[in-house]
Amino acid sequence: MDVYDLLNDRNGAISMRLEDFGLTPDEIELWNRVFDILCGRATHIVGVLEDFDGGYVWELGLLFAPSYRQKVWVLKRLYPDEQTERDKFDNGMAASHVKMLLTGNRCLEWRDEDELYDAVSQLP
């Protein structure tokens, strides 16, 4: 079971992912807009970060918009050593967004699947 399923199984919850809307890599210009619309309609926004491979820097920046900030929770993977952490999160802009999230109480770090599931259980 993944985070999507865990959140979707909550009473009254509906989980959504951009992938659920069938957007292809050729429609990349639509991804940001769809993400923005979904964030606007959501009561809670949960991001799961394992690395910055995939180009979600823009979306991370959007999560700091005043209208979304109070809805956002991030589950960030914590790697066993500093070098691996740097390799996985090697993007200056995205790293600064995550660093800001780590200063508050809306970012939960996890190392393995058990810790990830525990972090999900801590979300409101």
Side-chain angles (χ1 to χ4, degrees):
M1 182 172 282
D2 61 15
V3 171
Y4 174 85
D5 293 326
L6 289 170
L7 294 173
N8 204 47
D9 286 346
R10 291 176 169 204
N11 189 25
I14 300 171
S15 294
M16 293 180 281
R17 300 176 286 207
L18 286 175
E19 292 84 353
D20 295 339
F21 295 88
L23 297 172
T24 67
D26 292 335
E27 298 168 310
I28 193 72
E29 68 278 355
L30 297 176
W31 284 69
N32 293 337
R33 186 63 187 132
V34 171
F35 184 79
D36 190 18
I37 291 168
L38 291 174
C39 286
R41 297 188 51 89
T43 58
H44 292 73
I45 303 165
V46 178
V48 180
L49 301 176
E50 291 189 71
D51 57 45
F52 291 152
D53 185 32
Y56 299 105
V57 175
W58 187 91
E59 287 88 346
L60 274 174
L62 181 64
L63 297 181
F64 287 95
S67 57
Y68 301 147
R69 197 173 305 140
Q70 296 305 312
K71 301 179 185 184
V72 175
W73 288 86
V74 173
L75 305 174
K76 182 199 165 285
R77 185 165 186 176
L78 183 63
Y79 287 94
D81 60 81
E82 193 173 317
Q83 184 59 51
T84 304
E85 184 87 9
R86 223 176 303 156
D87 292 344
K88 296 291 186 177
F89 295 107
D90 184 24
N91 180 303
M93 184 172 294
S96 69
H97 293 319
V98 171
K99 187 170 180 89
M100 287 179 65
L101 288 167
L102 289 172
T103 63
N105 62 351
R106 294 183 171 268
C107 183
L108 304 169
E109 292 184 299
W110 54 278
R111 289 176 186 81
D112 56 33
E113 194 172 285
D114 288 336
E115 285 187 12
L116 175 59
Y117 293 159
D118 183 54
V120 170
S121 72
Q122 295 177 49
L123 296 172

